[in-house]
Amino acid sequence: MEEGKEILANEETVAAEMTLEELQEENRRLQEENERLNKSIKERMYDKINVSVRTMDIFIGCMCVLFVVVVILGMLK
């Protein structure tokens, strides 16, 4: 009878440890997600595209200038 209680106590301890490990993993995952969401759009874009920051800035600047030129040309016609 005492063996059964001891086994049951061991199973509860293992279940509690697994739950703690699962909670720690969930906490780590949520912290990573929170850090990712706190970044600006520009920083998130840099994380996904494997180019230097300077190259990305030049590209974005050129696209902005091109957009302005297209809008001005559209207004002239």
Side-chain angles (χ1 to χ4, degrees):
M1 191 68 151
E2 287 194 22
E3 267 183 46
K5 289 181 182 178
E6 190 175 306
I7 291 173
L8 183 60
N10 286 339
E11 288 176 359
E12 289 175 358
T13 303
V14 169
E17 288 175 4
M18 288 176 56
T19 303
L20 180 61
E21 290 172 0
E22 290 171 355
L23 289 174
Q24 288 173 341
E25 178 65 26
E26 180 73 10
N27 189 26
R28 183 191 60 77
R29 186 185 65 76
L30 289 173
Q31 285 176 343
E32 288 176 359
E33 183 178 343
N34 190 26
E35 288 174 5
R36 188 178 33 167
L37 291 175
N38 284 337
K39 291 182 179 179
S40 69
I41 293 173
K42 187 176 176 182
E43 289 173 343
R44 282 184 272 167
M45 189 185 316
Y46 292 151
D47 288 342
K48 293 183 179 186
I49 301 172
N50 192 16
V51 295
S52 71
V53 174
R54 184 172 187 272
T55 303
M56 184 63 73
D57 286 340
I58 291 170
F59 178 77
I60 292 170
C62 290
M63 291 296 110
C64 290
V65 169
L66 184 62
F67 177 74
V68 170
V69 168
V70 168
V71 169
I72 291 173
L73 288 176
M75 291 169 60
L76 293 176
K77 290 190 175 189

